[in-house]
Amino acid sequence: MSLSTTDRTTVTRHRERARTERADLHAVLDAGLVCHLGLVRDGAPVVIPTGYGRIDDTVYVHGSTGAGWLRIADGAPVCLTVTHLDGIVYARSVFNHSMNYRSAVVHGPVRHVTDRDEQLAALRAIVEQLSPGSWEHAREPDRRELAATAVFALDLTEASVKVRTGPPADDEADVAAGDRWAGVLPVRTVFGAPEPCPTLPADAPAPAHVADRRPE
Amino acid sequence: MSLSTTDRTTVTRHRERARTERADLHAVLDAGLVCHLGLVRDGAPVVIPTGYGRIDDTVYVHGSTGAGWLRIADGAPVCLTVTHLDGIVYARSVFNHSMNYRSAVVHGPVRHVTDRDEQLAALRAIVEQLSPGSWEHAREPDRRELAATAVFALDLTEASVKVRTGPPADDEADVAAGDRWAGVLPVRTVFGAPEPCPTLPADAPAPAHVADRRPE
């Protein structure tokens, strides 16, 4: 299924980088750990890093009901962006330097989640996005914790996906000059060895969902 | 020197994570490769990933003069956020799961850079942030390329920095129960082996500024 096209999801620069399949959008979102959520406060933009989770064509974020950035009205416009930096593109010219990346930008009105079942499913999706296996392993939220947690939904109705891959695009004259290196330095996210909480024995083995975890 | 405090840079949630020294702000910015720039278009927020560079207490972004997202008026409010994810914090409870991170959020009016010297210095800072050494190694921008590049400045006057480090903060009862693992899975950004442009011999050695590069 294709992504719908609106003015603000139409890629105007480097159209060849646009991806138009819904599966591409899901893939970029599902591979991420942090999103950057934009909202408007007093006419000015605010961009906050936060965790998120996806269920079908809805993405969820959450926060403490005491957090200032959550003072956002039901239905207010937000923008949720997820970016993966895959490589630094070194060109013969400064001008053609670039990045290899995958990014998804989702626009739409935020919806306050008030249904208890949806709230719980959303929290599960958020936790499983950040730390797959934790919902089963850890203690589930109790009534007090759920009451302290606000959950917001954003439909994946209006979104754009951009992907750049491959080598630099140098000018012919710069390639012909032959005197400069060009190429890509891959960038990857990796996990280190799990560090047990100091309240545990130092040799307490991490469970498989942590110890065997690999980046998407 | 301390960061100034305004309503929107006062951390309201997890105050212990706030950093108030200007050096902390510089450190978070200088260690990054991508920022997320927020602006307001037709009353809605738009959040775009892009490169950036810092000179003293000004941060710069750039883009093609043909890019739609650059249609932003001189003086319009923007928000520039840089986030480093340092670890996934596994707690005994789902509720206390968290992330270790460093983030900087800068607010202010954007300034169109029209001075040629400042434009060139800003481009150099942006290139050197993404690819240190490239300004010396690669061909500098010519007149046509400079004309095609818009540069925007944002003063670091109004900014907040948040840092979370260390183990999970579990409830005492969950720790006492003793039946669940908790700890931190470190997250790191690493570089792979440089991949020469296909127009170069496959064994063309990358120069030291690429081959010896390590993440900040």
Side-chain angles (χ1 to χ4, degrees):
Chain A
M1 197 168 74
S2 294
L3 297 171
S4 65
T5 300
T6 65
D7 274 358
R8 59 185 176 185
T9 62
T10 299
V11 172
T12 55
R13 178 80 187 151
H14 286 300
R15 291 185 179 83
E16 76 285 0
R17 298 181 187 169
R19 296 289 180 276
T20 56
E21 290 301 309
R22 192 153 287 277
D24 297 319
L25 172 62
H26 291 175
V28 171
L29 294 175
D30 293 355
L33 294 167
V34 174
C35 73
H36 282 80
L37 183 73
L39 44 92
V40 179
R41 179 163 300 145
D42 300 331
V46 179
V47 178
I48 303 290
T50 189
Y52 67 96
R54 180 179 74 84
I55 301 177
D56 300 332
D57 279 316
T58 304
V59 64
Y60 293 96
V61 297
H62 77 316
S64 162
T65 51
W69 69 268
L70 290 175
R71 286 182 281 108
I72 180 165
D74 193 34
V78 298
C79 180
L80 186 150
T81 298
V82 173
T83 305
H84 308 280
L85 178 62
D86 294 325
I88 298 167
V89 180
Y90 292 78
R92 273 88 166 179
S93 64
V94 159
F95 184 78
N96 283 316
H97 271 59
S98 188
M99 302 181 193
N100 284 337
Y101 64 92
R102 293 159 287 150
S103 69
V105 180
V106 186
H107 309 265
V110 74
R111 177 169 57 83
H112 290 199
V113 173
T114 53
D115 178 81
R116 177 58 60 100
D117 289 343
E118 186 180 11
Q119 184 193 19
L120 211 55
L123 290 176
R124 182 180 183 130
I126 294 167
V127 166
E128 291 292 299
Q129 180 83 24
L130 179 69
S131 48
S134 277
W135 194 267
E136 290 299 327
H137 184 81
R139 175 177 61 72
E140 290 191 17
D142 61 26
R143 186 179 309 223
R144 180 187 58 81
E145 291 169 340
L146 286 176
T149 306
V151 175
F152 303 90
L154 173 63
D155 284 344
L156 299 180
T157 308
E158 190 177 356
S160 60
V161 177
K162 283 181 84 174
V163 177
R164 190 201 188 281
T165 60
D170 270 308
D171 294 358
E172 283 180 27
D174 291 325
V175 176
D179 52 349
R180 294 184 169 96
W181 189 84
V184 175
L185 186 65
V187 178
R188 292 193 197 96
T189 298
V190 298
F191 297 136
E195 300 168 350
C197 183
T199 55
L200 288 173
D203 59 351
H209 71 279
V210 180
D212 298 342
R213 184 170 184 193
R214 299 290 174 267
E216 292 263 345
Chain B
M1 196 168 76
S2 294
L3 296 172
S4 64
T5 300
T6 64
D7 274 358
R8 59 185 174 184
T9 62
T10 299
V11 172
T12 55
R13 178 80 187 151
H14 287 299
R15 291 185 178 83
E16 76 284 0
R17 297 182 188 170
R19 296 289 181 276
T20 56
E21 290 301 310
R22 192 154 287 278
D24 297 318
L25 172 62
H26 291 174
V28 170
L29 293 175
D30 292 356
L33 295 166
V34 174
C35 73
H36 281 80
L37 184 72
L39 44 93
V40 179
R41 179 163 299 145
D42 301 330
V46 179
V47 178
I48 303 289
T50 188
Y52 66 97
R54 180 179 73 85
I55 300 176
D56 300 331
D57 279 316
T58 304
V59 65
Y60 293 96
V61 297
H62 76 317
S64 162
T65 51
W69 70 269
L70 290 176
R71 286 182 282 107
I72 180 165
D74 194 34
V78 299
C79 180
L80 185 150
T81 298
V82 172
T83 305
H84 308 280
L85 179 62
D86 294 325
I88 298 167
V89 180
Y90 292 78
R92 273 87 166 181
S93 65
V94 159
F95 184 77
N96 283 316
H97 271 59
S98 187
M99 302 181 192
N100 284 336
Y101 64 92
R102 293 160 286 150
S103 69
V105 180
V106 185
H107 309 267
V110 75
R111 177 169 58 82
H112 290 199
V113 173
T114 53
D115 178 83
R116 176 58 61 99
D117 289 343
E118 185 180 12
Q119 183 193 21
L120 211 55
L123 291 176
R124 183 179 183 132
I126 293 166
V127 166
E128 290 292 299
Q129 179 83 24
L130 179 70
S131 48
S134 276
W135 194 269
E136 290 299 326
H137 183 82
R139 176 177 61 73
E140 290 191 18
D142 62 25
R143 186 178 308 222
R144 181 187 56 80
E145 292 169 339
L146 286 176
T149 306
V151 175
F152 302 91
L154 173 62
D155 283 345
L156 299 181
T157 307
E158 189 176 356
S160 61
V161 178
K162 283 182 84 174
V163 177
R164 191 202 189 281
T165 61
D170 270 307
D171 295 358
E172 284 181 25
D174 290 327
V175 176
D179 53 348
R180 293 184 170 95
W181 189 83
V184 173
L185 186 65
V187 178
R188 292 194 197 97
T189 298
V190 298
F191 297 136
E195 299 167 350
C197 183
T199 55
L200 288 173
D203 59 352
H209 71 278
V210 180
D212 299 342
R213 183 170 185 193
R214 300 290 173 268
E216 292 263 345

